[in-house]
Amino acid sequence: MRPLFHPPIEAVRLEAVLHALSDPVRVAIFADIAGADCARTCSAFASVNDRQIPKSSLSQHFKVLREAGLIRSERQGVEMHNTARCAEMEGRFPGLVAAIVKAHEVEAAGRTEGIEGLAAK
Amino acid sequence: MRPLFHPPIEAVRLEAVLHALSDPVRVAIFADIAGADCARTCSAFASVNDRQIPKSSLSQHFKVLREAGLIRSERQGVEMHNTARCAEMEGRFPGLVAAIVKAHEVEAAGRTEGIEGLAAK
DNA sequence: TCCCATAGTTCGGGAAATTGGAACTATTGA
DNA sequence: TCAATAGTTCCAATTTCCCGAACTATGGGA
């Protein structure tokens, strides 16, 4: 297994970041990792937004996030510890990650309201 | 020709916005429109980043930006006037569009430096 | 040491999205 | 009415995405 590739922060491309986060499963994963105070494993996301994600797909999703420069993945025994590279990203593209994570929360909140609104009928 | 569809601002999806702007041609187009003080036509972008864009592709790109909620397109005689929906987007996802446009500028500046650095050798 | 379980990666083929040339539509002006 | 201009739609070739199956790596036991 080739060692995981992490781009140096100055090589991070906006295009790759936006592409990585333009997938609903990946933003959800990233928002969770970015909001967590400790590293998260891949298998922690076997289900995202009440949907089962096959592990081959999960692996791909983590690869996309990693190669976009959004997360750092380190093997810790049998599992993988993933952390967000928020501080570095903030240096490269100020405000970007924060705005996206916030936007993701806005949308999630809107969805919950929708459900409540529906349930209230 | 069916009338152009513009999503109401509250229906705008983060996923669609990020996907729309994850293409180098589309961010460049959007950044230009967002920075312009008057409407821009599609044909103004026959070439983007020194690359020729066929008009069928351009038409698709504008459609993606429009359906993501990022721009408004209105026919004005024989041409199409495109304007950015920045204020509305700011209300829906505060700071998002501004951070992306800024990040795009950061990258463009980095590229220019690179060229200058190369030329200086 | 050998085997098993766990965590993730890689491979490969079918499905879906993107690209761009050619043909088409809409609007204006002569 | 005809020609010119500005975009759109169609479609086929290419590319990318998704996920099941097979594989690799690490850490325990027996």
Side-chain angles (χ1 to χ4, degrees), chain B residues 2 43 55-56 59 78 80:
Chain B
R2 73 169 75 74
S43 51
K55 57 183 192 163
S56 58
S59 181
V78 79
M80 206 66 126

Side-chain angles (χ1 to χ4, degrees), chain A residues 7-121:
Chain A
I9 194 66
E10 66 278 7
V12 166
R13 309 265 288 103
L14 174 63
E15 184 181 337
V17 170
L18 297 185
H19 171 252
L21 298 178
S22 70
D23 179 278
V25 172
R26 287 192 298 257
V27 237
I29 290 175
F30 179 74
D32 183 298
I33 295 177
D37 52 351
C38 61
R40 324 274 281 125
T41 65
C42 299
S43 51
F45 302 94
S47 122
V48 172
N49 292 151
D50 296 329
R51 209 176 126 252
Q52 294 304 110
I53 313 292
K55 57 183 192 165
S56 58
S57 303
L58 260 190
S59 182
Q60 283 305 311
H61 285 319
F62 275 93
K63 185 181 181 192
V64 171
L65 289 171
R66 188 165 55 236
E67 298 190 345
L70 285 160
I71 63 171
R72 192 172 291 284
S73 308
E74 288 169 294
R75 171 151 247 166
Q76 214 80 44
V78 78
E79 57 195 21
M80 206 67 128
H81 282 196
N82 299 285
T83 48
R85 296 174 68 181
C86 291
E88 287 175 278
M89 286 292 304
E90 179 63 22
R92 175 110 173 90
F93 297 129
L96 183 64
V97 164
I100 295 176
V101 169
K102 191 173 160 199
H104 177 252
E105 282 162 12
V106 165
E107 232 179 24
R111 234 188 327 275
T112 313
E113 263 173 45
I115 292 169
E116 280 168 4
L118 225 63
K121 283 210 289 189

